[in-house]
Amino acid sequence: LIVVSFMGQSNINNETYKPENRKLSKFFQKGHRTGEVADLNHQLKPKSSNFSITTKQKLDSLIYKGNGEDTNTFKDEFTYNSTGKATSNIGYYAFTGTYGWIPSYKFEYLYDSDNMQVGEVDYDFDELTNQWFQTWKNAYENDENGNRTMDISFNWDEDLEQWEFMNKREYAYNSNFNLELSSYYTWNFEVGQWYYASKVEYTYDGNGVLMLMLSSHWDNDASQWLSDYKNEFTYDDSGKLLKDLKYKLNPQSGEWEFNHKQDYEYNTNDKLVSVSYFNWGETANDWVGSYKEEYVYDADGNVAEFYEHDWNENSGQWEYDYKSSLVFDNSYAYEDLLLPFEFDAEMQEEGVNLFNHMVTEAVSSQYNGSSWDIDETTNLYYSSIELGIGENRLIASTVYPNPANDYVSFRLDEGPRKMQVEIFDMFGKTVLSQEILNGGQVPVQQLNPALYIYRLMDGDRVFSTGKLSVR
């Protein structure tokens, strides 16, 4: 969840309440991934128009209130289209002792006829004119499989009253729809063209598991790519991520040197319980602790408490810094919820699903050395929405066994002799794609135990979708 202190422009304190000074609530900001790893979220998503009619609980708004020095109140409101895609996010704030919400910022999300996102426009609110003014926009291009292939950012020039190019990302995928290359460009205003800036190359093993990320920058003088960093990933036998080891290339020696690492630990239920961050200390010639996340689960698999620790170099131990306690409504599971994408796929950490059930409240506290002081509270509000299946008529299907261990068979009551089976994890990533005969089997023993979404199709025609459980 991204809980933002909605700091917009204000006549009362124009230095504090500016959009660029928005801060993220400490617990939820950790899931807002940026940079190279975030690029992996651009992979194929199931199109919502292909799902049958169902009732969801949509997240309408959240209200955040500070309990420490800052006791002002902030709010996010969300709107959706008829297929469940978020169309806007409007932020407000209210000063303590005053009445009424003051608009601060707005994000509008644009989609094509296939319900794939093709743009986003950002606005800030001018209280003097009582109007929204556009500040930034992104234009997206997607391939026929729904993978994002291009992301162009624009800045609004108030003097010229026109959009100006800022930067661009291009994405390339392999035959398994895994992101293979992310290229970043900046716009040169003087010559009016794009210039190389950096790129990231992704390498996978035979099962499509990410093993290596190589980051490079473009050297204009040498007119060539120069390597900067590489990330190597280590997994256990069941596919859980154990280590993300980052190296920095020494340009003088040409050797890779330790730079940063993240260690992951799990409980007996394969739930992630901690992520420890370390930096390489050249003086100590060893890893030096930096930051640690810790997850505590309740009996229903929800993240009931989240802790942040800082490293004390004097004692050589982790020390409490911050925690967040979450309250859930267990009558609604993750599959019952409709969430803006900032609160959904981008919020899912490796092995952690913050929305195993409906989150209704998050209370964040700061450690003062001996006890916890509450400094912010966030409440989330939902309502029901009925979603349709779109223009495609779905066909009844039989999937057995379900739950599955080794193989699963797919049979349509009617339809083509051959069909394509696509299986997605709950984050929208394609984990299996295979052509079979109607009634044929698909091996699933390589998949981690979890709940998945399947889609049976032929070309662009979707015949059936549903849920598949793998044990």
Short mmCIF file of all heavy atoms in Angstrom, two decimals, residues 127-154:
data_model
loop_
_atom_site.label_atom_id
_atom_site.label_comp_id
_atom_site.label_asym_id
_atom_site.label_seq_id
_atom_site.Cartn_x
_atom_site.Cartn_y
_atom_site.Cartn_z
N GLU A 127 -4.75 26.41 -5.71
CA GLU A 127 -5.80 26.92 -4.83
C GLU A 127 -6.19 28.35 -5.16
O GLU A 127 -7.30 28.78 -4.84
CB GLU A 127 -5.35 26.82 -3.37
CG GLU A 127 -5.16 25.40 -2.90
CD GLU A 127 -4.71 25.32 -1.46
OE1 GLU A 127 -5.12 26.21 -0.68
OE2 GLU A 127 -3.95 24.42 -1.11
N LEU A 128 -5.30 29.10 -5.81
CA LEU A 128 -5.62 30.48 -6.16
C LEU A 128 -6.66 30.54 -7.27
O LEU A 128 -7.59 31.34 -7.22
CB LEU A 128 -4.35 31.22 -6.58
CG LEU A 128 -3.27 31.37 -5.50
CD1 LEU A 128 -2.05 32.08 -6.06
CD2 LEU A 128 -3.83 32.13 -4.30
N THR A 129 -6.51 29.67 -8.27
CA THR A 129 -7.47 29.64 -9.38
C THR A 129 -8.53 28.57 -9.21
O THR A 129 -9.47 28.50 -9.99
CB THR A 129 -6.72 29.41 -10.71
OG1 THR A 129 -6.09 28.11 -10.67
CG2 THR A 129 -5.67 30.49 -10.93
N ASN A 130 -8.35 27.72 -8.20
CA ASN A 130 -9.28 26.62 -7.93
C ASN A 130 -9.39 25.68 -9.13
O ASN A 130 -10.46 25.19 -9.48
CB ASN A 130 -10.66 27.15 -7.55
CG ASN A 130 -11.49 26.12 -6.79
OD1 ASN A 130 -10.97 25.38 -5.97
ND2 ASN A 130 -12.78 26.08 -7.08
N GLN A 131 -8.23 25.39 -9.77
CA GLN A 131 -8.20 24.56 -10.95
C GLN A 131 -7.05 23.56 -10.89
O GLN A 131 -6.04 23.81 -10.23
CB GLN A 131 -8.06 25.41 -12.22
CG GLN A 131 -9.25 26.27 -12.55
CD GLN A 131 -9.04 27.07 -13.82
OE1 GLN A 131 -7.91 27.36 -14.21
NE2 GLN A 131 -10.13 27.42 -14.50
N TRP A 132 -7.24 22.45 -11.62
CA TRP A 132 -6.16 21.49 -11.79
C TRP A 132 -5.26 21.95 -12.93
O TRP A 132 -5.73 22.49 -13.93
CB TRP A 132 -6.70 20.11 -12.14
CG TRP A 132 -7.48 19.45 -11.04
CD1 TRP A 132 -8.83 19.32 -10.94
CD2 TRP A 132 -6.94 18.82 -9.88
NE1 TRP A 132 -9.17 18.66 -9.80
CE2 TRP A 132 -8.02 18.33 -9.12
CE3 TRP A 132 -5.64 18.63 -9.41
CZ2 TRP A 132 -7.87 17.66 -7.92
CZ3 TRP A 132 -5.47 17.95 -8.21
CH2 TRP A 132 -6.56 17.48 -7.48
N PHE A 133 -3.95 21.75 -12.78
CA PHE A 133 -3.03 22.02 -13.88
C PHE A 133 -2.13 20.81 -14.07
O PHE A 133 -1.63 20.22 -13.12
CB PHE A 133 -2.21 23.30 -13.64
CG PHE A 133 -1.34 23.27 -12.41
CD1 PHE A 133 0.00 22.91 -12.50
CD2 PHE A 133 -1.85 23.62 -11.17
CE1 PHE A 133 0.81 22.89 -11.37
CE2 PHE A 133 -1.04 23.60 -10.04
CZ PHE A 133 0.30 23.24 -10.14
N GLN A 134 -1.95 20.41 -15.34
CA GLN A 134 -1.19 19.21 -15.65
C GLN A 134 0.31 19.47 -15.47
O GLN A 134 0.81 20.56 -15.78
CB GLN A 134 -1.50 18.73 -17.06
CG GLN A 134 -1.37 19.79 -18.12
CD GLN A 134 -2.07 19.38 -19.41
OE1 GLN A 134 -2.77 18.37 -19.46
NE2 GLN A 134 -1.86 20.15 -20.46
N THR A 135 1.00 18.46 -14.99
CA THR A 135 2.43 18.61 -14.71
C THR A 135 3.29 17.57 -15.41
O THR A 135 4.43 17.85 -15.79
CB THR A 135 2.69 18.51 -13.20
OG1 THR A 135 2.22 17.23 -12.73
CG2 THR A 135 1.98 19.63 -12.45
N TRP A 136 2.76 16.38 -15.60
CA TRP A 136 3.57 15.26 -16.07
C TRP A 136 2.66 14.24 -16.72
O TRP A 136 1.49 14.11 -16.36
CB TRP A 136 4.30 14.61 -14.87
CG TRP A 136 5.32 13.57 -15.22
CD1 TRP A 136 5.12 12.22 -15.35
CD2 TRP A 136 6.71 13.78 -15.48
NE1 TRP A 136 6.28 11.60 -15.67
CE2 TRP A 136 7.30 12.52 -15.75
CE3 TRP A 136 7.52 14.91 -15.49
CZ2 TRP A 136 8.64 12.37 -16.05
CZ3 TRP A 136 8.87 14.75 -15.78
CH2 TRP A 136 9.42 13.49 -16.05
N LYS A 137 3.17 13.53 -17.71
CA LYS A 137 2.39 12.42 -18.27
C LYS A 137 3.33 11.34 -18.78
O LYS A 137 4.49 11.60 -19.11
CB LYS A 137 1.46 12.89 -19.38
CG LYS A 137 2.10 13.13 -20.73
CD LYS A 137 1.03 13.37 -21.79
CE LYS A 137 1.64 13.59 -23.18
NZ LYS A 137 0.61 13.77 -24.22
N ASN A 138 2.80 10.13 -18.84
CA ASN A 138 3.50 8.98 -19.41
C ASN A 138 2.62 8.38 -20.50
O ASN A 138 1.41 8.23 -20.32
CB ASN A 138 3.80 7.93 -18.36
CG ASN A 138 4.91 8.33 -17.44
OD1 ASN A 138 4.73 9.19 -16.57
ND2 ASN A 138 6.07 7.73 -17.59
N ALA A 139 3.25 8.04 -21.62
CA ALA A 139 2.56 7.35 -22.71
C ALA A 139 3.17 5.96 -22.86
O ALA A 139 4.40 5.82 -22.91
CB ALA A 139 2.70 8.13 -24.02
N TYR A 140 2.32 4.92 -22.88
CA TYR A 140 2.78 3.54 -22.92
C TYR A 140 2.40 2.88 -24.24
O TYR A 140 1.34 3.17 -24.81
CB TYR A 140 2.18 2.73 -21.78
CG TYR A 140 2.35 3.35 -20.41
CD1 TYR A 140 1.24 3.53 -19.58
CD2 TYR A 140 3.59 3.75 -19.96
CE1 TYR A 140 1.39 4.10 -18.32
CE2 TYR A 140 3.74 4.33 -18.71
CZ TYR A 140 2.64 4.50 -17.90
OH TYR A 140 2.79 5.08 -16.66
N GLU A 141 3.26 1.98 -24.70
CA GLU A 141 2.94 1.12 -25.84
C GLU A 141 3.08 -0.33 -25.38
O GLU A 141 3.98 -0.66 -24.59
CB GLU A 141 3.88 1.40 -27.02
CG GLU A 141 3.67 2.76 -27.65
CD GLU A 141 4.54 2.97 -28.87
OE1 GLU A 141 5.19 2.00 -29.32
OE2 GLU A 141 4.57 4.10 -29.39
N ASN A 142 2.18 -1.19 -25.88
CA ASN A 142 2.16 -2.60 -25.49
C ASN A 142 2.14 -3.47 -26.74
O ASN A 142 1.63 -3.07 -27.78
CB ASN A 142 0.92 -2.89 -24.64
CG ASN A 142 0.76 -1.92 -23.49
OD1 ASN A 142 1.56 -1.91 -22.57
ND2 ASN A 142 -0.27 -1.08 -23.56
N ASP A 143 2.72 -4.67 -26.63
CA ASP A 143 2.69 -5.58 -27.77
C ASP A 143 1.39 -6.38 -27.77
O ASP A 143 0.51 -6.18 -26.93
CB ASP A 143 3.92 -6.49 -27.79
CG ASP A 143 4.01 -7.40 -26.58
OD1 ASP A 143 2.98 -7.62 -25.91
OD2 ASP A 143 5.12 -7.90 -26.29
N GLU A 144 1.26 -7.29 -28.74
CA GLU A 144 0.03 -8.06 -28.88
C GLU A 144 -0.24 -8.99 -27.71
O GLU A 144 -1.37 -9.45 -27.51
CB GLU A 144 0.05 -8.87 -30.18
CG GLU A 144 1.11 -9.96 -30.24
CD GLU A 144 2.48 -9.45 -30.67
OE1 GLU A 144 2.63 -8.20 -30.78
OE2 GLU A 144 3.39 -10.27 -30.88
N ASN A 145 0.78 -9.27 -26.91
CA ASN A 145 0.61 -10.12 -25.73
C ASN A 145 0.29 -9.34 -24.48
O ASN A 145 0.10 -9.91 -23.41
CB ASN A 145 1.88 -10.95 -25.50
CG ASN A 145 2.16 -11.89 -26.64
OD1 ASN A 145 1.29 -12.64 -27.06
ND2 ASN A 145 3.38 -11.85 -27.17
N GLY A 146 0.26 -8.01 -24.59
CA GLY A 146 -0.03 -7.17 -23.43
C GLY A 146 1.19 -6.73 -22.68
O GLY A 146 1.08 -6.04 -21.66
N ASN A 147 2.40 -7.11 -23.12
CA ASN A 147 3.62 -6.67 -22.47
C ASN A 147 3.93 -5.23 -22.85
O ASN A 147 3.80 -4.85 -24.01
CB ASN A 147 4.81 -7.54 -22.87
CG ASN A 147 4.65 -8.96 -22.37
OD1 ASN A 147 4.30 -9.19 -21.22
ND2 ASN A 147 4.89 -9.92 -23.25
N ARG A 148 4.34 -4.44 -21.90
CA ARG A 148 4.71 -3.06 -22.18
C ARG A 148 6.03 -3.02 -22.93
O ARG A 148 7.01 -3.65 -22.53
CB ARG A 148 4.81 -2.24 -20.90
CG ARG A 148 5.10 -0.75 -21.14
CD ARG A 148 4.90 0.06 -19.88
NE ARG A 148 3.52 -0.07 -19.42
CZ ARG A 148 3.09 0.37 -18.24
NH1 ARG A 148 3.94 0.92 -17.40
NH2 ARG A 148 1.83 0.22 -17.91
N THR A 149 6.05 -2.29 -24.03
CA THR A 149 7.26 -2.21 -24.85
C THR A 149 7.90 -0.83 -24.80
O THR A 149 9.08 -0.70 -25.12
CB THR A 149 6.94 -2.55 -26.31
OG1 THR A 149 5.92 -1.66 -26.79
CG2 THR A 149 6.47 -3.99 -26.42
N MET A 150 7.13 0.20 -24.41
CA MET A 150 7.70 1.54 -24.37
C MET A 150 6.99 2.39 -23.32
O MET A 150 5.78 2.25 -23.12
CB MET A 150 7.60 2.21 -25.74
CG MET A 150 8.31 3.56 -25.82
SD MET A 150 8.22 4.30 -27.48
CE MET A 150 9.09 3.05 -28.45
N ASP A 151 7.74 3.24 -22.67
CA ASP A 151 7.22 4.16 -21.67
C ASP A 151 7.92 5.50 -21.89
O ASP A 151 9.12 5.63 -21.66
CB ASP A 151 7.50 3.62 -20.27
CG ASP A 151 7.07 4.56 -19.15
OD1 ASP A 151 6.66 5.69 -19.44
OD2 ASP A 151 7.17 4.16 -17.98
N ILE A 152 7.18 6.49 -22.37
CA ILE A 152 7.74 7.82 -22.64
C ILE A 152 7.17 8.81 -21.64
O ILE A 152 5.95 8.90 -21.45
CB ILE A 152 7.44 8.29 -24.07
CG1 ILE A 152 7.96 7.28 -25.09
CG2 ILE A 152 8.06 9.66 -24.33
CD1 ILE A 152 7.66 7.66 -26.52
N SER A 153 8.05 9.57 -20.98
CA SER A 153 7.65 10.57 -19.99
C SER A 153 7.75 11.97 -20.58
O SER A 153 8.69 12.29 -21.31
CB SER A 153 8.54 10.47 -18.75
OG SER A 153 8.42 9.20 -18.14
N PHE A 154 6.75 12.79 -20.24
CA PHE A 154 6.69 14.17 -20.71
C PHE A 154 6.53 15.10 -19.51
O PHE A 154 5.88 14.75 -18.53
CB PHE A 154 5.50 14.40 -21.65
CG PHE A 154 5.45 13.51 -22.85
CD1 PHE A 154 4.98 12.21 -22.76
CD2 PHE A 154 5.86 13.98 -24.08
CE1 PHE A 154 4.90 11.39 -23.87
CE2 PHE A 154 5.79 13.17 -25.21
CZ PHE A 154 5.31 11.88 -25.10
#
